[in-house]
Amino acid sequence: MAEMTTKKILIIDAYYYDEVSTNLLDGINSAINEESKNVNLDPDYIVVKGALEIPQAINLVLKKVDYDGIIAVGCVIRGETSHYDIVADNSARGIMELSFKYNIPITNAILTVDNYDQAIARSKDRGQHALKALIGLMNIGA
């Protein structure tokens, strides 16, 4: 039987809405356990203040450490100003640009929602989806 290789992943979390992040991380960890028979994942975990800081932190980390994949975790809730659009657009764009710059799969589990109730509802399965999508992308690049 061939030895299973270990994939080093980074989970970077804008832990602003703690219940939402906890749900997303629980889903990621559940999926890591579920997928452990197929792939050995070794996750690192970094916390930043907000979703807009995620691309900046990824860029800084990837200059020093090699990862096989990254999951960006967070939540942006629409408010009364255009700040929502700026944060949602620029965090997503930055993540995509970094994926191409460093040739690394990065899945985006930053929820963009209209209200907190939507965030809670969506956060319950989005973490698992992000981890499984990351594994799929890492398999394509392998």
Side-chain angles (χ1 to χ4, degrees), residues 1-110:
M1 177 184 272
E3 185 176 322
M4 196 179 330
T5 59
T6 298
K7 299 288 186 177
K8 186 81 174 158
I9 65 170
L10 174 64
I11 300 165
I12 186 159
D13 181 14
Y15 202 84
Y16 188 82
Y17 298 103
D18 58 349
E19 186 178 2
V20 174
S21 280
T22 297
N23 286 346
L24 289 165
L25 295 170
D26 285 350
I28 291 168
N29 288 325
S30 172
I32 287 172
N33 290 333
E34 182 181 311
E35 295 293 327
S36 66
K37 61 187 172 289
N38 301 317
V39 62
N40 186 25
L41 298 173
D42 180 17
D44 284 342
Y45 178 76
I46 295 175
V47 176
V48 296
K49 293 295 182 188
L52 205 50
E53 286 75 36
I54 288 176
Q56 297 171 65
I58 290 171
N59 189 56
L60 292 169
V61 169
L62 287 178
K63 288 181 178 185
K64 298 177 183 180
V65 181
D66 289 328
Y67 286 97
D68 295 298
I70 298 173
I71 302 173
V73 176
C75 181
V76 183
I77 298 177
R78 187 178 303 279
E80 296 178 8
T81 68
S82 61
H83 184 69
Y84 168 90
D85 297 311
I86 293 166
V87 174
D89 291 346
N90 286 307
S91 63
R93 183 179 305 108
I95 289 166
M96 188 62 68
E97 288 174 1
L98 289 166
S99 178
F100 295 137
K101 175 181 176 181
Y102 289 100
N103 196 29
I104 183 173
I106 305 174
T107 55
N108 186 343
I110 301 173

